[in-house]
Amino acid sequence: IILFELFSRRVITHENYRCFNQRRRRPRHERCNPCGRQNCLRKRHDRYRINRGYQGLIDDDVRELNIRSVSDIIHRGGTMLYSARCLAFKEESGMQQAIATCKKHGIEGIVVIGGDGSFRGARDLSLRGIPCIGIPGTIDNDIVSTDYTIGYDTCLNTIMQMVDRIRDTVESHGRCMVVEVMGNKCGDLTLNAGIAVGATAIVIPEIRSDIEQHVINRIRRTQKTDKKHFIIMVAEGIGGVEELARKIEKECGVESRAVILGHVQRGGSPTVRDRVVASQMGYKAVQLLMQGIGNRVIVLKDDHIIDYDIYEALNMQKKVDNELYKIAHEISI
Ligand code: F6P
């Protein structure tokens, strides 16, 4: 969400993006011939913002943008485009209303920023003749096709800062803090932030064991080295932090508290990594649309920005980083 603006900014302010054509008809679902591409590049194109995602498309909440519409927002959290969950778009009637809005404004290409649900919508629109390009945007890093989602790094840094603050109390009072990390069903935020804050134990949905016993064993092991305070990071997909804190207090004899970080994780000024990756992805998305290509999703794979067919992207399997989990386990004593 944070990076919607960054993307828009690039679309509008970079000279090349002037070619983003939402009015001129071009071949869809296939590459134009080189002459066609040259032609697109020479044309001046109109750009629009669609507020509240698919809901805005259904409601015709569409505004034309000018070259300065997104000035001075690159450093801001939140979103100028707003966000909404749209059930109506899953129905054919909703989809047809959205297509009617596109026709009304002469929209011939859309960049959709979101998760797998948004990409399914983008695929369905592409199938119905409106080329769409997906850009992965969520704090959760749970989109199967990409190593990285926009917003993830900002969120990681927020978690780290929050837990660093929590550590002050934990250390001074000799306590255990069980921290629940938002991240839907994905453990990436918890695992990476857990390493960054030196957690004694990390619990994520991808690696299930006897959770309580695992955490208690790790605290007991650390107590033997004379450590008196502990941070336990638990993914939202596991939950139960209050209960776990009570259990730790009883079994390990250390005063324990639970804290749920929640929506604080979703705000704040984007980090450098998020700003740069968002710009790269936005650039690539517009390049594809200018070539008349739709039904693709932009991803970061092995440090390269590439694109996949949306069907292909949606059918990939996400794997947990077992090596990183092992490292976390080894180094936290
Ligand atoms: O997908 C982002 C996310 O923040 C998840 O981490 C979380 O599970 C969910 O959204 C929370 O959604 P809501 O704000 O609707 O409760």
Side-chain angles (χ1 to χ4, degrees):
I1 292 166
I2 293 163
L3 272 301
F4 278 9
E5 291 89 339
L6 302 181
F7 172 69
S8 308
R9 177 190 175 89
R10 292 295 176 230
V11 167
I12 290 158
T13 58
H14 194 293
E15 200 61 21
N16 287 342
Y17 297 147
R18 287 167 161 233
C19 304
F20 185 18
N21 185 356
Q22 297 185 341
R23 287 220 161 125
R24 298 196 65 79
R25 293 200 166 269
R26 294 192 300 279
R28 291 169 179 145
H29 307 305
E30 59 188 34
R31 291 170 193 273
C32 299
N33 62 41
C35 297
R37 270 184 238 168
Q38 292 277 317
N39 228 354
C40 294
L41 289 168
R42 276 200 295 273
K43 295 272 182 336
R44 165 71 209 238
H45 305 294
D46 301 317
R47 295 137 301 196
Y48 296 88
R49 59 185 267 181
I50 301 164
N51 292 330
R52 296 176 297 114
Y54 294 125
Q55 190 62 54
L57 209 50
I58 289 175
D59 299 343
D60 190 13
D61 193 354
V62 177
R63 307 269 181 279
E64 192 155 0
L65 295 168
N66 67 45
I67 199 81
R68 295 256 59 87
S69 297
V70 289
S71 286
D72 299 321
I73 59 168
I74 197 158
H75 59 296
R76 281 169 38 195
T79 164
M80 67 174 274
L81 294 176
Y82 310 108
S83 186
R85 296 213 162 101
C86 181
L87 292 177
F89 193 71
K90 291 187 177 157
E91 308 292 329
E92 186 58 35
S93 55
M95 185 86 62
Q96 288 307 326
Q97 260 178 285
I99 290 169
T101 304
C102 292
K103 287 194 175 137
K104 178 179 161 191
H105 295 278
I107 292 172
E108 288 198 324
I110 301 179
V111 178
V112 175
I113 307 166
D116 286 337
S118 307
F119 294 165
R120 269 180 220 110
R123 174 201 59 193
D124 294 345
L125 266 184
S126 295
L127 271 176
R128 287 163 178 79
I130 311 284
C132 293
I133 306 288
I135 291 186
T138 162
I139 61 164
D140 300 335
N141 208 39
D142 62 349
I143 299 179
V144 289
S145 50
T146 183
D147 294 341
Y148 187 85
T149 58
I150 300 166
Y152 178 58
D153 190 61
T154 303
C155 182
L156 272 178
N157 279 281
T158 304
I159 298 168
M160 186 183 71
Q161 286 159 15
M162 294 301 121
V163 179
D164 283 352
R165 286 166 189 238
I166 289 168
R167 176 183 286 278
D168 291 344
T169 300
V170 169
E171 205 181 331
S172 65
H173 289 57
R175 283 182 182 168
C176 173
M177 189 66 80
V178 184
V179 183
E180 182 180 304
V181 178
M182 199 185 237
N184 207 357
K185 296 186 179 67
C186 180
D188 283 16
L189 282 168
T190 310
L191 175 57
N192 284 271
I195 291 175
V197 301
T200 298
I202 296 172
V203 187
I204 56 175
E206 293 89 343
I207 300 179
R208 282 192 176 268
S209 52
D210 181 345
I211 293 161
E212 282 181 4
Q213 205 48 52
H214 165 74
V215 173
I216 287 163
N217 288 346
R218 289 198 64 84
I219 293 175
R220 283 188 180 146
R221 191 181 80 138
T222 310
Q223 280 173 322
K224 285 191 192 135
T225 66
D226 221 19
K227 186 162 177 173
K228 305 264 182 290
H229 57 276
F230 313 91
I231 290 168
I232 312 299
M233 300 287 272
V234 179
E236 178 189 11
I238 297 281
V241 285
E242 295 281 356
E243 204 185 326
L244 184 58
R246 277 197 296 275
K247 189 87 181 173
I248 291 168
E249 188 158 314
K250 187 163 166 248
E251 299 288 328
C252 304
V254 55
E255 198 181 350
S256 302
R257 299 277 188 278
V259 61
I260 298 175
L261 295 182
H263 290 79
V264 71
Q265 288 179 217
R266 303 207 326 185
S269 178
T271 57
V272 171
R273 181 152 166 79
D274 270 336
R275 295 181 198 203
V276 173
V277 174
S279 300
Q280 289 174 298
M281 288 185 170
Y283 180 83
K284 179 93 177 166
V286 174
Q287 272 192 327
L288 291 178
L289 281 183
M290 286 195 308
Q291 293 167 51
I293 300 167
N295 201 32
R296 310 289 295 178
V297 52
I298 313 290
V299 302
L300 184 75
K301 270 281 160 197
D302 304 324
D303 278 335
H304 293 288
I305 303 284
I306 57 168
D307 56 291
Y308 289 133
D309 178 89
I310 296 185
Y311 288 96
E312 199 189 331
L314 286 170
N315 286 317
M316 291 175 176
Q317 296 291 325
K318 187 161 172 79
K319 295 191 191 93
V320 65
D321 190 341
N322 280 313
E323 185 60 26
L324 194 62
Y325 184 79
K326 195 174 142 223
I327 290 170
H329 200 79
E330 293 285 326
I331 63 175
S332 68
I333 303 165

